[in-house]
Amino acid sequence: MTSYTIGENLPLWGGDDTQTITFIVTSDCNLRCKYCYVVAKENNKRMHFSTAKKFIDYLMSDKLNRSKKVVLDFIGGEPLLEIELIDKICDYFKIKAFELSDEWYWQYRINICSNGLLYEDEKVQNFIKKNIHKISFGISIDGNKQKHDLNRVKVDGSGSYDDIMRILPLWKQQFVPSTKVTFSSPDLIYLKDSILALWDLGIYDVAANVVYEDVWNTGDDKILEQELMSLADHIIDKELYDKGYKCTFFMDFLGGFNTQGDLNSIFCGAGKMLAIDCSGNIYPCIRFSPNSLSNKKAKVIGNIEKGLDKEKLRTYACIDASMISSQECIECPVAKGCPYCQGFNYDESKNDTIFNRTVYHCLMQKARVRANDYFFAKLYNQKGITRENYSSNHQYLYFILSDDYVSFCQFENKCNSHKTMNQDLIQEGLNFCRENFYKPVFIHSNELYNFESKDFYDSFIIEHIIPIQNYEHSKTLKNVTYVIEPDTLGKLRNRISRCIFNINQDQIDSLYKFITEVFKFTDRVNLNVIGLNENFQEDLYQEQLMQISDYLVQCFKITGEVKEINVLNDVMYEDTHENCKAGDRLFAFAPNGRFYICPSFYSNNKNDVGCLENGINFDNKLFNAKSHFLCKNCKANQCLNCVYLNKESTDEFNVSPSYQCRKSNIELNVAYELQKRIPEAFINSVKLEKVKNLDPIISAKPIMPHFDY
Ligand code: SF4
Ligand code: SF4
Ligand code: SF4
């Protein structure tokens, strides 16, 4: 349960092991909606009962590998035109399932999505009363009267809104009302009013969407964004977010890069769902049926006489997001949750294939993600409610608030200048983040604390990195990581949830002493060894880490709680390399208004990689973890692999120096021992293996002239 309902998905009956069977009972309809996907409304096509009966017989035969639960979905045209047929089909299904002791007898649901015009009809009402506990009944209402009547018109061209208002009380009395609303270019301006109108009518669950079609005009994305942001403000001002209302324009999981798992799966259920039409042909879903396709012939994957054609079905088992997406979609920072429809992909494909992905709605999806970021940031900053179910796969922009920013990674910032970033620039940088989907991280001065929070910041989730000596000044900020150093350890007097402990490599012999001191105030320490070079004392480091490992074991045995230190614990939960992300998914924004690969590149007067006006122009080919040859062959997944250090020591961004590699592999070996000693503390962790060669180059390139191993 989240602390908000707006932002949650709509309730879905059945869960993962559920399959939808759609009966296209008629192509006839008593409305003429302007956006209707039913391309051919032929009023003489209706399903015969014998067709549906044969299909049910086939579904319940032992020829199919089925889901445990089933949704019998009735669709048209307008399905209520065929209510007697639907009633007969449902009765037949129930009797057949009962006779066969089929598990579907207990696990089925009837779903009807109607325009509502025939809702009060006696036969419809009888059917509803007979199946009342098994039906989900959606009626399409497009929002307020203006928007609804713009599209949902009767045969004579008049709007159907007033007809729906007439049946609304009865519908609400019989069901938890839900509706689908679809927006295209002309009606975007009614969006906010439409959603509010639906909620006012008592329709709490609103499945809202924009069309996939090529209908969008320049500037439509800005209208969508403004409408959604204005709706978000209203929701927050009136505190509607936890009152049971839902609208799928707001979804907490939207945004972030694809994970490998996302790329290996497919967004929609075509092939798992099945649809059958009046002719007895079976389709992967309704959008592959002749009624729904404008450009292509229907994709028939079987018929009621011969059943499913297993050869044709193979395609739907062999498709995933990586195969249909362009490189732009694969690498898109907001790919998570970006929808597509396989039927529409097929209809629009050039080569008569379903291995295609339409992107007409791309800008609209990006606008939607921005509005979601705005909504959840305000919810968090103004109401203290955290966004849940949200990916951690994002790109970051580090704001250098002052030239003397606190060191927070392997690079030691020795600059004393107090040149700071002004408010206007901060605001412009934040706008850049919103436009381009970067998460802002503010790196504060190591000395002065002159940061002032502004109302404008409320619409962003900002992370802060602040030296511990400024703890008192910054207590009211959220999302703070405090930086502690041996000299400032005495300033640590309160419990903190996130911290970085900086230690110079020359002080490594006191590591255990310092870390156990920090653990008195927190359960997790991010250790950062700065100034790393070839003089790093590896044996000493290993010895100190082993002592820390003993301490972690002891703590666990006494309290049952796991204390964490990044260099030992993170490798247990990472199965791929991420590196520090600089130059790939992390950039810095400096007080001079320009972008850099990371703060160290700014501090060392390296070339910038762009400015606010032109954005970040950078070929990140060498910065992605996949292009680091050594890292590809290394299991030290906790390693941050500093590209600045790489460039300084090996002259290349993607080749790391031996001391960095050996340090990380020492950590891996100590983590391996730790995991072995208390496996019960690391349930669901990656099973670690001990490495023999601390430097992965030895196993990666065993034969190389002039190379001293
Ligand atoms: S369609 Fe656009 S928003 Fe969606 S994944 Fe592709 S690039 Fe990203
Ligand atoms: S590359 Fe990463 S670790 Fe290295 S200095 Fe830049 S931000 Fe820090
Ligand atoms: S230890 Fe070396 S090879 Fe392994 S991830 Fe780190 S930099 Fe890459």
Side-chain angles (χ1 to χ4, degrees):
M1 278 282 281
T2 56
S3 321
Y4 47 83
T5 52
I6 297 171
E8 277 188 334
N9 216 336
L10 298 188
L12 203 62
W13 181 82
D16 281 349
D17 206 4
T18 308
Q19 124 176 67
T20 299
I21 307 291
T22 302
F23 295 83
I24 308 167
V25 287
T26 177
S27 51
D28 195 7
C29 187
N30 44 5
L31 282 189
R32 292 292 179 270
C33 301
K34 292 180 185 160
Y35 50 60
C36 180
Y37 62 81
V38 177
V39 179
K41 286 199 178 75
E42 302 155 70
N43 54 18
N44 56 355
K45 278 206 170 181
R46 56 181 296 269
M47 185 176 279
H48 284 285
F49 174 61
S50 60
T51 305
K53 184 169 169 285
K54 272 191 193 163
F55 189 43
I56 290 173
D57 289 345
Y58 174 65
L59 291 171
M60 291 205 188
S61 66
D62 51 10
K63 295 188 189 117
L64 279 186
N65 186 11
R66 306 174 330 193
S67 298
K68 283 196 162 44
K69 301 175 191 174
V70 67
V71 175
L72 305 174
D73 182 40
F74 295 97
I75 200 159
E78 167 50 37
L80 296 190
L81 290 171
E82 294 299 332
I83 192 64
E84 286 169 82
L85 173 68
I86 293 174
D87 189 25
K88 254 172 112 175
I89 295 174
C90 291
D91 281 352
Y92 183 73
F93 168 84
K94 286 181 263 181
I95 292 165
K96 181 93 186 175
F98 179 76
E99 283 173 357
L100 294 175
S101 301
D102 192 298
E103 59 187 338
W104 278 1
Y105 180 73
W106 304 105
Q107 303 281 10
Y108 78 94
R109 188 121 192 116
I110 298 164
N111 187 46
I112 295 184
C113 191
S114 158
N115 62 32
L117 259 58
L118 293 172
Y119 191 77
E120 292 166 313
D121 181 275
E122 193 185 340
K123 287 176 192 150
V124 172
Q125 280 302 310
N126 287 342
F127 173 76
I128 288 173
K129 282 171 197 150
K130 183 163 142 191
N131 295 285
I132 190 80
H133 299 300
K134 288 289 187 183
I135 307 183
S136 306
F137 206 112
I139 292 181
S140 304
I141 311 177
D142 272 8
N144 59 10
K145 182 170 166 58
Q146 248 172 326
K147 148 99 168 107
H148 185 95
D149 285 346
L150 197 67
N151 285 312
R152 302 190 68 80
V153 293
K154 294 190 263 190
V155 182
D156 65 6
S158 63
S160 59
Y161 186 80
D162 294 338
D163 302 73
I164 305 299
M165 288 308 104
R166 201 185 61 244
I167 58 104
L168 186 69
L170 179 59
W171 178 41
K172 278 165 59 178
Q173 190 189 321
Q174 292 175 319
F175 296 101
V176 176
S178 66
T179 195
K180 282 188 189 151
V181 201
T182 311
F183 288 85
S184 66
S185 183
D187 47 24
L188 276 179
I189 48 170
Y190 304 117
L191 188 146
K192 176 189 168 192
D193 291 345
S194 295
I195 304 294
L196 291 176
L198 289 168
W199 288 341
D200 275 351
L201 291 174
I203 301 164
Y204 278 42
D205 290 351
V206 180
N209 231 323
V210 295
V211 297
Y212 291 119
E213 279 77 358
D214 187 10
V215 295
W216 301 109
N217 298 316
T218 311
D220 279 348
D221 56 328
K222 287 293 153 211
I223 301 175
L224 175 67
E225 195 173 322
Q226 282 309 321
E227 283 288 308
L228 287 176
M229 280 164 62
S230 169
L231 180 57
D233 284 337
H234 182 91
I235 292 166
I236 290 171
D237 291 348
K238 303 283 178 211
E239 306 204 323
L240 301 180
Y241 44 82
D242 59 355
K243 304 289 184 293
Y245 300 112
K246 291 185 182 179
C247 166
T248 51
F249 273 131
F250 296 105
M251 300 281 248
D252 51 10
F253 66 83
L254 283 185
F257 289 96
N258 276 315
T259 61
Q260 200 50 47
D262 298 326
L263 289 171
N264 294 344
S265 55
I266 194 89
F267 179 80
C268 86
K272 183 179 174 190
M273 312 173 182
L274 294 175
I276 181 171
D277 71 358
C278 310
S279 64
N281 281 333
I282 306 172
Y283 308 94
C285 88
I286 183 169
R287 294 299 293 257
F288 288 92
S289 72
N291 274 353
S292 310
L293 294 166
S294 302
N295 308 314
K296 298 282 185 314
K297 70 177 183 7
K299 276 259 180 216
V300 179
I301 54 167
N303 60 53
I304 45 163
E305 303 304 334
K306 294 188 183 152
L308 284 167
D309 180 339
K310 299 255 166 79
E311 301 305 327
K312 296 240 165 58
L313 253 188
R314 286 165 73 85
T315 301
Y316 302 90
C318 294
I319 190 166
D320 70 16
S322 70
M323 289 176 184
I324 65 168
S325 305
S326 64
Q327 206 52 29
E328 189 184 346
C329 288
I330 288 176
E331 289 168 8
C332 170
V334 292
K336 188 115 193 150
C338 179
Y340 47 84
C341 162
Q342 289 190 64
F344 186 60
N345 288 348
Y346 164 63
D347 204 20
E348 291 286 303
S349 70
K350 288 202 177 73
N351 304 322
D352 200 20
T353 174
I354 66 166
F355 288 84
N356 178 46
R357 180 169 174 178
T358 61
V359 292
Y360 302 126
H361 67 296
C362 176
L363 291 181
M364 309 307 285
Q365 178 64 12
K366 287 177 175 163
R368 188 176 163 210
V369 172
R370 281 186 205 104
N372 270 271
D373 288 349
Y374 175 86
F375 169 63
F376 282 105
K378 284 205 150 180
L379 202 57
Y380 177 69
N381 289 318
Q382 296 182 356
K383 305 292 174 187
I385 296 174
T386 305
R387 181 175 192 169
E388 292 173 33
N389 310 314
Y390 190 44
S391 151
S392 54
N393 250 333
H394 299 282
Q395 52 186 6
Y396 298 87
L397 189 64
Y398 280 40
F399 286 61
I400 301 172
L401 294 189
S402 173
D403 274 6
D404 67 339
Y405 62 90
V406 59
S407 301
F408 62 95
C409 68
Q410 297 195 1
F411 172 72
E412 184 176 14
N413 182 24
K414 293 182 177 156
C415 177
N416 294 321
S417 144
H418 295 315
K419 184 174 169 199
T420 54
M421 183 177 284
N422 66 44
Q423 282 299 339
D424 290 346
L425 207 53
I426 293 179
Q427 190 154 332
E428 286 179 59
L430 286 172
N431 284 333
F432 177 87
C433 286
R434 165 114 327 128
E435 275 304 303
N436 298 284
F437 311 106
Y438 284 87
K439 302 290 170 196
V441 181
F442 284 6
I443 319 287
H444 291 246
S445 159
N446 196 32
E447 272 190 40
L448 304 175
Y449 187 84
N450 47 17
F451 179 73
E452 244 182 277
S453 231
K454 301 280 170 200
D455 289 349
F456 174 72
Y457 299 171
D458 271 3
S459 54
F460 297 87
I461 306 260
I462 300 169
E463 304 268 339
H464 297 269
I465 300 184
I466 296 179
I468 191 70
Q469 55 271 32
N470 287 331
Y471 175 84
E472 285 301 323
H473 302 294
S474 58
K475 273 197 307 210
T476 53
L477 288 181
K478 294 177 171 171
N479 294 324
V480 180
T481 298
Y482 286 103
V483 180
I484 306 154
E485 301 193 335
D487 292 349
T488 57
L489 201 45
K491 305 277 180 198
L492 180 58
R493 299 191 193 109
N494 301 79
R495 266 202 85 73
I496 49 176
S497 56
R498 294 191 292 185
C499 71
I500 293 170
F501 183 75
N502 281 345
I503 187 167
N504 196 289
Q505 68 161 14
D506 303 336
Q507 296 167 293
I508 214 74
D509 56 343
S510 304
L511 182 65
Y512 168 77
K513 186 181 87 187
F514 291 138
I515 291 294
T516 47
E517 193 55 33
V518 180
F519 268 135
K520 289 180 186 162
F521 299 91
T522 187
D523 292 328
R524 178 179 165 96
V525 181
N526 288 307
L527 171 64
N528 180 37
V529 180
I530 48 182
L532 196 66
N533 63 29
E534 62 279 8
N535 299 324
F536 184 56
Q537 298 185 62
E538 293 164 9
D539 292 346
L540 215 47
Y541 184 52
Q542 177 164 350
E543 196 186 296
Q544 293 285 312
L545 280 186
M546 278 159 54
Q547 282 188 47
I548 293 170
S549 170
D550 287 344
Y551 170 82
L552 297 182
V553 171
Q554 215 181 356
C555 288
F556 179 72
K557 289 198 168 151
I558 295 169
T559 65
E561 303 288 326
V562 186
K563 282 192 182 284
E564 292 184 7
I565 180 163
N566 59 337
V567 292
L568 297 183
N569 295 65
D570 288 1
V571 69
M572 299 192 204
Y573 296 96
E574 303 273 0
D575 50 11
T576 51
H577 273 295
E578 293 222 326
N579 296 350
C580 95
K581 299 191 174 83
D584 181 22
R585 292 182 180 181
L586 179 164
F587 289 92
F589 182 49
N592 62 6
R594 306 196 76 84
F595 298 113
Y596 292 83
I597 292 173
C598 82
S600 68
F601 287 78
Y602 165 69
S603 301
N604 284 291
N605 301 317
K606 306 284 185 203
N607 289 342
D608 62 71
V609 294
C611 59
L612 281 171
E613 211 183 356
N614 302 323
I616 295 173
N617 298 309
F618 185 62
D619 178 2
N620 68 353
K621 205 167 73 228
L622 297 179
F623 291 78
N624 186 294
K626 291 193 185 104
S627 48
H628 292 233
F629 176 82
L630 292 172
C631 307
K632 279 197 294 194
N633 294 298
C634 170
K635 293 272 182 252
N637 291 336
Q638 87 289 1
C639 176
L640 289 183
N641 187 10
C642 170
V643 289
Y644 179 78
L645 184 67
N646 291 352
K647 182 70 180 157
E648 290 294 292
S649 7
T650 67
D651 226 8
E652 289 294 344
F653 293 112
N654 60 339
V655 180
S656 43
S658 60
Y659 45 89
Q660 171 151 289
C661 290
R662 284 201 301 273
K663 170 183 173 288
S664 296
N665 280 292
I666 287 169
E667 293 160 1
L668 171 59
N669 280 348
V670 178
Y672 163 81
E673 297 294 342
L674 174 63
Q675 190 184 50
K676 235 173 51 177
R677 286 174 70 187
I678 44 169
E680 66 277 26
F682 307 112
I683 296 162
N684 299 330
S685 62
V686 176
K687 185 146 178 34
L688 300 180
E689 283 171 31
K690 193 167 181 161
V691 283
K692 222 165 70 210
N693 299 318
L694 292 183
D695 185 350
I697 203 164
I698 295 173
S699 31
K701 276 269 176 225
I703 302 164
M704 194 169 148
H706 323 300
F707 200 85
D708 176 13
Y709 295 120

